[in-house]
């Protein structure tokens, strides 16, 4: 985590998070480290669709068409975190931690968005049915890696 904080500090960027299935785990991982206040602006935990719409301006139409676990929603979550913070980089996470899932959206599917003020990239990871705790940990770790890679290329 110190590497992430040092990289963000060196680039002079602030980070925001927009989390659903991880429930704040990315924000907690960052803020567990001393010095994080220099680079962490805020975190949004938007577990319900209503919270995603109210806090991050995720469109009800996007939710209706694609569902909460989609790259389209991850994109809107990350862009919303940038718009509603003082951060220059934001990561979003929405997924199915389990147990359960469906044929179309299986357990372990997690969609990510990584936004800067002028761009947003999304991706979907299929972590598999690792169990709720392990899917959430894998998603947290992937989000942290996305943040570090984006900061290093910023």
């Amino acid at each position: 985590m110190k590497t992430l904080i040092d990289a963000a500090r060196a680039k002079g960027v602030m980070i925001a998070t927009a989390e659903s299935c991880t429930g704040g785990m990315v924000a907690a991982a960052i803020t567990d480290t001393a010095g994080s206040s220099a680079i962490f602006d805020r975190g949004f935990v938007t577990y319900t669709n209503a919270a995603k719409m109210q806090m991050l301006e995720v469109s009800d139409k996007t939710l209706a068409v694609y569902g909460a676990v989609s790259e389209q929603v991850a994109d809107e979550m990350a862009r919303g975190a940038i718009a509603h913070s003082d951060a220059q980089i934001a990561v979003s996470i929405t997924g199915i931690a389990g147990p359960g899932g469906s044929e179309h959206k299986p357990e372990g599917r997690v969609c990510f968005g990584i936004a800067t003020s002028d761009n947003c990239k999304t991706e979907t990871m299929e972590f598999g049915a690792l169990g709720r705790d392990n899917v959430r940990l894998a998603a947290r770790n992937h989000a942290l890696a996305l943040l570090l890679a984006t900061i290093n290329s910023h």
Side-chain angles (χ1 to χ4, degrees):
M1 201 54 54
K2 187 170 176 343
T3 304
L4 174 68
I5 292 170
D6 290 346
R9 185 178 285 141
K11 298 284 178 105
V13 297
M14 295 291 282
I15 295 169
T17 60
E19 302 180 64
S20 187
C21 67
T22 48
M25 291 173 71
V26 177
I30 295 169
T31 59
D32 278 349
T33 304
S36 59
S37 61
I39 60 92
F40 186 76
D41 182 54
R42 67 191 74 183
F44 300 90
V45 177
T46 56
Y47 214 68
T48 65
N49 288 349
K52 289 173 182 66
M53 291 186 289
Q54 292 165 6
M55 296 173 71
L56 299 172
E57 295 184 41
V58 172
S59 160
D60 58 346
K61 182 177 180 184
T62 304
L63 286 161
V65 172
Y66 300 103
V69 180
S70 64
E71 289 188 21
Q72 292 83 355
V73 168
D75 178 276
E76 291 185 14
M77 288 173 67
R79 290 176 190 272
I82 290 284
H84 293 283
S85 73
D86 295 324
Q88 292 78 43
I89 298 173
V91 67
S92 66
I93 306 169
T94 182
I96 313 244
S102 69
E103 180 183 340
H104 299 291
K105 291 192 179 176
E107 179 180 331
R109 176 173 294 167
V110 182
C111 301
F112 297 86
I114 186 91
T116 60
S117 56
D118 59 354
N119 188 28
C120 186
K121 296 178 183 173
T122 60
E123 65 183 40
T124 299
M125 297 295 294
E126 301 286 352
F127 295 114
L130 306 174
R132 184 175 183 79
D133 292 346
N134 289 326
V135 169
R136 294 175 79 220
L137 283 171
R140 180 201 69 184
N141 293 342
H142 189 73
L144 292 167
L146 283 173
L147 282 168
L148 182 58
T150 303
I151 290 165
N152 286 336
S153 68
H154 194 260

